Amino acid sequence: MGTEGLLSPWVLCLLLWVQPCRGAVEVRLVDGDRRCAGRVEVKHQGQWGTVCSDRWDMTDAAVVCRQLGCGVALKAHRNAHFGPGSGRIWMDDVNCHGTESALSDCTHTERAETYCDHRFDAGVTCSGFVRLVGGDSPCSGSVEVYDRDQWKAVCHSHFGAKAAEVVCRELQCGTALSVHGAAQLGEGAGPVWDRELQCVGNESVLSFCPTEAPKDKACTHSNGTHVTCTRFRLVNGSRACEGRVEVAVLGTWGTLCASRWDLSDAHVLCRHLGCGFAESIPGGGHFGRGTGPVWRDSFHCDGTEAHLGQCPVTALGASPCSQENAAAVICSGPAHHMSVRLVGGRSRCDGHVEVFQHGTWGRVLDEQWDMQKASVVCRQLQCGEAEAAYTPVRAERGLGPVGLRGVRCAGHEADLSLCNTSLPQSMSAAGIMEDVGVVCHGSRRVRLADGAGRCAGRVEIYYQGRWGTVCDDAWDLADAAVVCRQLGCGGALEAAGSARFGEGSGQIWLDGVNCSGAEAALWDCPAKAWGQHSCGHKEDAGVICSEFTALRLENSDGCSGRLQVFYNGTWGSVCSNSMTTETVSLVCKELGCGNEGDREIFFNYAKLSGTTWLDDVECGKSNSSFWQCPSDPWNPQSCDDLREETHITCNERPQVAACPNSTSCTEREKIRVVGGKDGCSGRVEIWHRGTWGTLCDNAWDMRDAEVACRQLGCGPAVYALGQAAAGEGMGPMWLMECRGTELSLQDCWAQPGHSGACQHKADAAVHCSAAPRTATSPPQADPPQGRPTTSREGLSVPVIICIILGALLCLLLALLAGQVRSARAQRRGSGRAGEPFPEAVYEEIAYSLAWEKQARFSLSDVPVLPGGYPADGYDDAGEVSDPGEDPVPGQRDWEVPRTPEEGDGRRDAATGGSLHSRRSAGVPGADGHTSSPFLGSTGYDDVEEVSLAYPHEDTQDVTPELHAQEFQSPRPADTSPAEQLGAAGREESSVPLGEP
């Protein structure tokens, strides 16, 4: 009987196909960021092909890692995580038990092209054969190798400098910086590898190095091996501690661009390389022209980091760079006898003094430490003049060896070795002399705190060893420009005041800052003496710079939609040319929407309108953040075809509740007011990512309230309220900043209210002028549990104002009638029928009231119609009750420099303006003491005239009672709600962030 009688034809074909695959088929990982990570490819019939990810899991990945000698499997990737392959798809439905020695030993289906394509290629990330653990980065730590299914430590005696070079190369960490013993392998710390490495030094991976049994006794947990690698080196210098800066990226060395390279970055590099501190950063190709790629990465170090890898890095939008513009540095050199350093401070130019002697660092002790001695230390470290000499408190004194005891300096010496010094004695230093410290001028630093990025936040200065804030008195764009330039953040978009980014703590260092804008540092500007001020932390100054950036996917859930970046004060789209899967993945990670996503393709043949900031964003394996990805330079017209606009859907989305009122939220449904008497007054809540959240009253003012009322469809805003005037809400809080012209709050600048100043006792509220429309009234939230919310019926504020104005008008009419009656009586008595006194009275009344009202409102932000008369006459409740309403676009604000007395002004609870703001500085009588030039001039009652000319004071008296009737919310009697609001008279350049 032939085989045809035993087996069906398709089974025969399958056996014939499987037969050549028996045995260990060669496997490799490609397109990963290292040898032991990437897309799985197998070689069959002399041709490389991929593996389909159907049923692909960690058990299958573990077999691949074992076959390649790559340690353990860390992750099994599906759906072409490392990019789609090409050619044949050799395997599918792989099902390993985990004990196989090769992937081809696992059960699988072969030749899967008919039901799988390269979009589903499988990938693996393995731990590798070697790793560094316990260090401050993946490129430093104790050496461990993976042997016989477990990690084992490597003894220092079995490991040399050449092996260290191979380890750093395999881990793509550049070159070995140091190798030394690490006495941290205590008993029971784990197994120790029983082999000795014999590396030549040019091997690509450690597993290629020959090994042999140790020549000496086996390691007994006495010590391990600690390796520090570095991805940075200096080349073409005359000595080891100077040269052109080169950086290794994925094993390739390239030149670092100098466009953002500064002394803070250079100090970190010199210290990391064991080369002291940076003396200078020469430019213009000082150390010759490099070869290879030019990396456009910008490091943003503050100078305290241990290595450049700890500094924030950006490359997105960077301009092209040539080899002639290479970063370079000249370092002071390795420590030598009597070298000095400062430790324990927050910069290299302040801290406890230590001196280098006999190969080790030791403490400096002195009994009469003074400014003369401190000046020598600052001069030796090139840190400028000494600002303080101190002895640390007992808790901060050192416990290490003593390097120097007793110093006698005249103060003019170039370094400490030229002073009269004595060497340490054998007796203990305790109780004899004290540790000494120094604060040099070079320790001064500036930073922006509690913002959404490094280029926006509260201004803080490091001075005399302490961080402190800056008062917002006279704070303007010229001052902000100095801060932005000092931080490398471009120009200033806004000079924020009134603790926009939360209240700081500690010292307020500067007040009355008055920069010209050309100063190199904020402390170079004219200001009051250090520490002298007349303000509190509720007036802390802030800055928003042009290079402040943010990222969003424009949709209600925040995890899908059009990709946009915020730059130079504007949201703009990202073009999809050269878009990689890594780019999509990093966007989703940056937004907390999972680790992967898909780019949506649209075929809408139309011209793209609006700003498009970026194109050719090409994130790679070495990028850990979207902002590190290379791209074309920033350009507001990067592309103009709607098909090029990037739309992304991430693989994870937050748990989103159903949208109120409909399946897809409209702008109107993303806002509601709660706790008021109707749908046009109450606590403001916005819908974001499936939940309602409140707004922090920090910086909440009439501009923001105007946008909220517009979005609610409730007419103009009457009041912007704070301090939970409509009760405390629940859920997340948001800091909101609007220009006043936006259509919805979602178009405004916003960030999560994480600071201590943003708590629900600071929830913002609004009162709009119009009544709600029933058809579009938003759903009201349930009252918070434990806080019964009540509502008392009462007259609205506009009605009360109209009643008051009506009464005043009736009184004037009565007076006028009296005058007419008196005039007629005089005519009858004297016979002088032609006396024009009544007409004169009419004319004088019209002139006086109209002139005063024009003067009052022309100095406010309410637009006045041509001819000098307000639009609706004297009985316009909106105009009278809201003198601080913001101008229409294009109308400039009045600015008067504030005096020190004005700097402590408080904001008006009704309007969000400041009683001492710049807008009211020029209004006659605004201070409450200047009398009207018309009082007594017409013979009318003074009280009536003041009420018409200055309605602001009247409304101020009415407001607290009315708000209490409307919201019934407890409010402190001694604190104005405006003290928690934002700055009065903010600049027009407020930054919109939209939905974060």
Side-chain angles (χ1 to χ4, degrees):
M1 183 182 294
T3 56
E4 290 80 357
L6 296 174
L7 299 173
S8 63
W10 69 269
V11 174
L12 278 174
C13 292
L14 179 61
L15 287 176
L16 290 173
W17 174 251
V18 173
Q19 185 70 27
C21 291
R22 291 177 180 174
V25 173
E26 191 176 351
V27 176
R28 70 180 182 186
L29 300 178
V30 297
D31 287 345
D33 59 353
R34 55 187 183 274
R35 187 184 76 89
C36 292
R39 181 176 61 252
V40 180
E41 294 191 354
V42 295
K43 191 176 184 180
H44 178 66
Q45 294 182 344
Q47 183 180 357
W48 287 101
T50 63
V51 176
C52 190
S53 61
D54 292 339
R55 302 179 61 184
W56 186 255
D57 58 21
M58 287 292 290
T59 306
D60 310 322
V63 174
V64 173
C65 294
R66 182 184 304 112
Q67 182 176 354
L68 292 173
C70 282
V72 296
L74 300 179
K75 192 164 185 180
H77 300 281
R78 297 185 175 188
N79 302 329
H81 176 78
F82 295 99
S86 59
R88 306 298 295 269
I89 301 176
W90 288 127
M91 302 175 70
D92 189 16
D93 293 323
V94 177
N95 185 19
C96 302
H97 297 293
T99 59
E100 295 86 351
S101 59
L103 186 65
S104 56
D105 295 337
C106 302
T107 305
H108 62 275
T109 304
E110 299 167 347
R111 303 190 72 169
E113 292 96 336
T114 55
Y115 41 85
C116 185
D117 60 54
H118 287 295
R119 294 177 298 168
F120 306 101
D121 285 342
V124 167
T125 297
C126 309
S127 63
F129 174 67
V130 63
R131 68 180 183 182
L132 300 176
V133 297
D136 59 0
S137 76
C139 292
S140 69
S142 298
V143 182
E144 291 185 352
V145 297
Y146 193 79
D147 179 55
R148 292 192 287 273
D149 296 331
Q150 56 183 332
W151 288 102
K152 298 179 180 180
V154 178
C155 281
H156 183 51
S157 58
H158 302 164
F159 193 93
K162 293 181 179 178
E165 287 291 341
V166 177
V167 168
C168 294
R169 185 180 301 118
E170 178 172 355
L171 296 177
Q172 295 189 341
C173 288
T175 185
L177 184 62
S178 65
V179 186
H180 57 82
Q184 57 190 34
L185 298 180
E187 292 295 335
V192 179
W193 200 36
D194 58 357
R195 305 294 293 174
E196 182 174 329
L197 286 161
Q198 301 291 326
C199 298
V200 176
N202 59 1
E203 294 88 352
S204 59
V205 294
L206 194 66
S207 58
F208 291 172
C209 293
T211 62
E212 61 181 26
K215 299 181 179 65
D216 52 3
K217 294 188 299 183
C219 184
T220 58
H221 291 277
S222 59
N223 69 306
T225 301
H226 189 282
V227 171
T228 299
C229 306
T230 180
R231 298 190 300 113
F232 306 92
R233 68 184 182 187
L234 301 178
V235 299
N236 268 22
S238 58
R239 55 192 178 96
C241 289
E242 66 178 27
R244 185 178 64 252
V245 182
E246 290 193 346
V247 185
V249 177
L250 296 181
T252 301
W253 288 96
T255 300
L256 179 66
C257 184
S259 59
R260 296 294 183 89
W261 183 249
D262 60 21
L263 270 175
S264 295
D265 306 330
H267 284 314
V268 173
L269 179 59
C270 290
R271 183 168 55 249
H272 171 60
L273 296 177
C275 287
F277 58 87
E279 294 183 339
S280 64
I281 49 173
H286 184 81
F287 292 103
R289 192 179 188 276
T291 58
V294 178
W295 309 122
R296 293 183 288 168
D297 302 63
S298 296
F299 293 89
H300 307 286
C301 307
D302 61 24
T304 63
E305 296 86 354
H307 54 80
L308 288 175
Q310 293 180 347
C311 303
V313 183
T314 59
L316 196 72
S319 299
C321 193
S322 67
Q323 289 286 356
E324 286 72 20
N325 190 25
V329 63
I330 298 176
C331 304
S332 61
H336 54 82
H337 182 69
M338 292 301 290
S339 288
V340 173
R341 71 178 183 183
L342 301 178
V343 298
R346 297 188 180 180
S347 75
R348 77 173 194 91
C349 291
D350 74 296
H352 306 168
V353 184
E354 289 188 352
V355 64
F356 190 77
Q357 291 193 85
H358 308 297
T360 186
W361 289 98
R363 298 147 56 205
V364 173
L365 306 181
D366 195 77
E367 57 185 357
Q368 293 181 339
W369 187 251
D370 57 24
M371 288 292 289
Q372 287 182 325
K373 302 167 186 177
S375 295
V376 176
V377 173
C378 291
R379 187 177 301 117
Q380 184 173 350
L381 290 172
Q382 299 183 21
C383 284
E385 295 296 324
E387 293 185 337
Y390 66 95
T391 55
V393 297
R394 184 175 298 274
E396 296 179 356
R397 294 174 188 171
L399 299 175
V402 176
L404 199 61
R405 180 182 289 108
V407 182
R408 299 294 179 269
C409 299
H412 56 74
E413 294 86 351
D415 59 68
L416 210 58
S417 65
L418 301 177
C419 297
N420 184 14
T421 61
S422 60
L423 295 178
Q425 303 171 9
S426 57
M427 60 185 296
S428 171
I432 300 176
M433 293 186 177
E434 296 181 303
D435 291 89
V436 297
V438 170
V439 177
C440 308
H441 183 278
S443 65
R444 296 181 185 180
R445 291 161 50 202
V446 65
R447 71 181 179 187
L448 299 179
D450 290 342
R454 70 177 191 89
C455 290
R458 181 178 60 253
V459 179
E460 295 188 349
I461 295 178
Y462 186 68
Y463 176 72
Q464 293 284 345
R466 291 180 294 168
W467 284 102
T469 62
V470 177
C471 185
D472 65 1
D473 290 342
W475 185 253
D476 58 20
L477 277 176
D479 311 322
V482 174
V483 174
C484 292
R485 184 171 58 252
Q486 191 173 352
L487 291 172
C489 287
L493 291 179
E494 184 171 358
S498 298
R500 166 89 62 79
F501 298 96
E503 296 182 14
S505 60
Q507 183 66 48
I508 298 176
W509 280 128
L510 292 179
D511 189 9
V513 179
N514 186 22
C515 303
S516 68
E519 293 85 354
L522 188 62
W523 42 82
D524 295 334
C525 301
K528 293 182 180 179
W530 287 96
Q532 293 186 9
H533 61 87
S534 58
C535 52
H537 283 295
K538 61 179 175 290
E539 298 170 79
D540 285 341
V543 165
I544 299 174
C545 305
S546 62
E547 293 200 8
F548 168 63
T549 54
L551 186 70
R552 73 179 180 185
L553 288 174
E554 196 181 32
N555 203 341
S556 58
D557 64 5
C559 289
S560 65
R562 179 174 56 170
L563 177 63
Q564 290 193 315
V565 293
F566 184 82
Y567 177 75
N568 199 27
T570 305
W571 284 104
S573 299
V574 178
C575 307
S576 60
N577 297 309
S578 304
M579 184 75 65
T580 62
T581 56
E582 288 85 0
T583 304
V584 175
S585 176
L586 286 177
V587 167
C588 294
K589 290 179 181 178
E590 194 86 24
L591 296 174
C593 296
N595 296 325
E596 297 177 354
D598 297 313
R599 186 167 68 86
E600 306 295 332
I601 306 297
F602 294 93
F603 298 97
N604 190 342
Y605 294 84
K607 189 174 180 62
L608 197 155
S609 61
T611 302
T612 54
W613 274 127
L614 292 169
D615 198 5
D616 291 318
V617 182
E618 298 184 72
C619 301
K621 306 298 181 184
S622 63
N623 303 125
S624 58
S625 165
F626 176 77
W627 309 109
Q628 298 176 8
C629 302
S631 71
D632 287 349
W634 296 103
N635 180 2
Q637 282 83 41
S638 292
C639 59
D640 58 6
D641 192 329
L642 196 60
R643 292 171 297 171
E644 297 178 273
E645 197 172 46
T646 302
H647 292 255
I648 291 175
T649 300
C650 298
N651 65 343
E652 292 182 17
R653 302 188 190 185
Q655 295 298 318
V656 179
C659 184
N661 288 352
S662 66
T663 57
S664 60
C665 277
T666 64
E667 292 299 320
R668 173 61 188 83
E669 290 174 321
K670 293 179 183 178
I671 186 174
R672 67 183 182 187
V673 284
V674 180
K677 68 183 181 63
D678 54 31
C680 286
S681 64
R683 181 178 65 253
V684 181
E685 296 189 355
I686 58 173
W687 176 267
H688 183 69
R689 295 197 176 185
T691 186
W692 288 105
T694 64
L695 303 182
C696 183
D697 67 5
N698 193 349
W700 177 256
D701 64 8
M702 287 296 292
R703 295 176 189 265
D704 313 312
E706 198 67 41
V707 177
C709 291
R710 183 180 299 122
Q711 188 174 357
L712 286 166
C714 289
V718 179
Y719 302 111
L721 303 167
Q723 291 185 320
E728 296 183 15
M730 297 182 294
M733 294 191 70
W734 301 92
L735 277 169
M736 189 72 65
E737 181 71 14
C738 303
R739 298 176 186 268
T741 59
E742 297 86 350
L743 296 179
S744 69
L745 290 176
Q746 281 74 18
D747 296 329
C748 301
W749 180 96
Q751 71 177 52
H754 294 321
S755 66
C758 283
Q759 301 176 9
H760 284 295
K761 63 184 179 183
D763 282 340
V766 72
H767 185 104
C768 307
S769 60
R773 292 191 293 269
T774 305
T776 60
S777 178
Q780 299 297 309
D782 297 330
Q785 295 181 1
R787 282 190 62 122
T789 303
T790 61
S791 177
R792 184 185 303 174
E793 293 296 330
L795 295 174
S796 67
V797 175
V799 172
I800 293 175
I801 294 175
C802 288
I803 293 173
I804 294 173
L805 291 176
L808 292 174
L809 183 59
C810 290
L811 184 59
L812 287 175
L813 290 174
L815 290 173
L816 183 60
Q819 294 286 353
V820 171
R821 191 176 297 110
S822 174
R824 288 176 178 174
Q826 289 178 8
R827 280 202 306 269
R828 285 194 298 268
S830 63
R832 294 166 59 187
E835 178 66 46
F837 182 77
E839 286 75 8
V841 171
Y842 280 108
E843 184 175 334
E844 186 172 356
I845 291 174
Y847 172 79
S848 174
L849 295 181
W851 199 99
E852 288 194 40
K853 187 167 184 181
Q854 178 183 348
R856 174 70 178 99
F857 285 107
S858 64
L859 289 175
S860 73
D861 292 323
V862 178
V864 179
L865 293 179
Y869 290 89
D872 299 318
Y874 305 133
D875 58 346
D876 190 328
E879 286 186 353
V880 175
S881 63
D882 190 15
E885 186 178 349
D886 292 316
V888 295
Q891 181 175 349
R892 56 180 274 199
D893 293 342
W894 286 80
E895 287 199 26
V896 178
R898 289 190 289 180
T899 64
E901 290 77 18
E902 293 173 349
D904 199 32
R906 299 294 182 264
R907 298 167 63 91
D908 177 16
T911 65
S914 171
L915 297 179
H916 297 286
S917 69
R918 297 171 183 169
R919 293 180 181 178
S920 62
V923 180
D927 58 359
H929 301 290
T930 305
S931 60
S932 168
F934 300 99
L935 293 183
S937 62
T938 61
Y940 308 136
D941 185 83
D942 292 352
V943 175
E944 301 159 5
E945 188 121 346
V946 171
S947 298
L948 284 174
Y950 305 106
H952 182 74
E953 287 77 359
D954 289 346
T955 35
Q956 177 67 17
D957 294 338
V958 174
T959 300
E961 179 181 356
L962 296 178
H963 295 333
Q965 292 177 356
E966 293 172 8
F967 299 129
Q968 287 294 307
S969 175
R971 303 191 47 194
D974 59 343
T975 304
S976 167
E979 290 182 2
Q980 300 299 322
L981 299 182
R986 295 178 306 173
E987 298 294 335
E988 290 292 340
S989 56
S990 147
V991 182
L993 276 190
E995 285 188 349

Coordinates of all heavy atoms in Angstrom, one line a residue, residues 564 570-574 608-613 635-637 645:
Q564 N -1.8 68.2 18.5 CA -1.5 69.6 18.5 C -0.4 69.8 19.6 O -0.4 69.2 20.6 CB -2.7 70.4 18.8 CG -3.7 70.5 17.7 CD -4.7 71.6 17.9 OE1 -5.2 71.8 19.0 NE2 -5.0 72.4 16.9
T570 N 0.6 79.7 21.2 CA -0.5 79.3 20.2 C -0.5 77.7 20.0 O 0.6 77.1 20.0 CB -0.3 79.9 18.8 OG1 -0.2 81.3 19.0 CG2 -1.4 79.6 17.9
W571 N -1.7 77.2 20.0 CA -1.8 75.8 19.6 C -1.7 75.6 18.1 O -2.2 76.4 17.4 CB -3.2 75.2 20.1 CG -3.3 74.9 21.5 CD1 -3.9 75.7 22.5 CD2 -2.7 73.8 22.2 NE1 -3.8 75.1 23.7 CE2 -3.1 73.9 23.6 CE3 -2.0 72.7 21.8 CZ2 -2.7 73.0 24.6 CZ3 -1.6 71.8 22.8 CH2 -1.9 71.9 24.1
G572 N -1.0 74.6 17.7 CA -0.9 74.3 16.3 C -0.8 72.8 16.0 O -0.4 72.0 16.9
S573 N -1.2 72.4 14.8 CA -1.2 71.0 14.4 C 0.2 70.5 14.1 O 1.2 71.2 14.0 CB -2.1 70.8 13.2 OG -3.4 71.2 13.5
V574 N 0.3 69.2 14.1 CA 1.6 68.5 13.7 C 1.3 67.7 12.4 O 0.4 67.0 12.3 CB 2.0 67.5 14.8 CG1 3.3 66.8 14.4 CG2 2.2 68.2 16.1
L608 N -5.5 73.2 4.5 CA -5.5 73.2 5.9 C -5.3 74.6 6.4 O -4.5 75.4 6.0 CB -4.3 72.4 6.4 CG -4.2 72.0 7.9 CD1 -3.4 70.7 8.0 CD2 -3.7 73.0 8.8
S609 N -6.2 75.1 7.3 CA -6.2 76.4 7.8 C -5.7 76.4 9.3 O -5.7 75.3 9.9 CB -7.6 77.0 7.8 OG -8.5 76.3 8.6
G610 N -5.2 77.5 9.7 CA -4.7 77.6 11.1 C -3.2 77.3 11.1 O -2.5 77.1 10.1
T611 N -2.7 77.2 12.3 CA -1.2 77.0 12.5 C -0.9 75.6 12.5 O -1.6 74.7 13.1 CB -0.8 77.6 13.9 OG1 -1.2 79.0 13.9 CG2 0.6 77.5 14.2
T612 N 0.2 75.2 11.8 CA 0.8 73.9 11.8 C 2.3 74.0 12.2 O 3.1 74.4 11.4 CB 0.6 73.2 10.4 OG1 1.2 74.1 9.4 CG2 -0.8 73.0 10.1
W613 N 2.6 73.7 13.4 CA 3.9 74.0 13.9 C 5.0 73.1 13.4 O 6.1 73.6 13.2 CB 3.9 74.0 15.5 CG 3.4 75.2 16.2 CD1 2.4 75.3 17.1 CD2 3.9 76.5 16.0 NE1 2.3 76.6 17.5 CE2 3.2 77.4 16.9 CE3 4.9 77.1 15.2 CZ2 3.5 78.7 17.0 CZ3 5.2 78.4 15.3 CH2 4.5 79.3 16.2
N635 N 7.7 76.1 12.5 CA 7.3 76.9 11.4 C 5.7 76.9 11.4 O 5.1 75.8 11.4 CB 7.8 76.3 10.1 CG 7.3 77.1 8.9 OD1 6.6 78.1 9.0 ND2 7.6 76.6 7.7
P636 N 5.1 78.1 11.6 CA 3.6 78.1 11.7 C 2.9 77.6 10.5 O 1.7 77.4 10.5 CB 3.3 79.6 12.0 CG 4.5 80.3 11.5 CD 5.7 79.4 11.7
Q637 N 3.6 77.5 9.3 CA 3.0 76.9 8.1 C 3.8 75.7 7.6 O 4.3 75.7 6.5 CB 2.9 78.0 7.0 CG 1.7 78.9 7.2 CD 2.1 80.1 8.1 OE1 3.2 80.6 8.1 NE2 1.1 80.5 8.9
E645 N -2.4 66.4 8.1 CA -2.6 66.7 9.6 C -2.7 65.3 10.3 O -3.3 64.4 9.9 CB -3.9 67.4 9.8 CG -4.1 68.1 11.1 CD -5.3 69.0 11.2 OE1 -6.4 68.5 10.7 OE2 -5.2 70.1 11.6

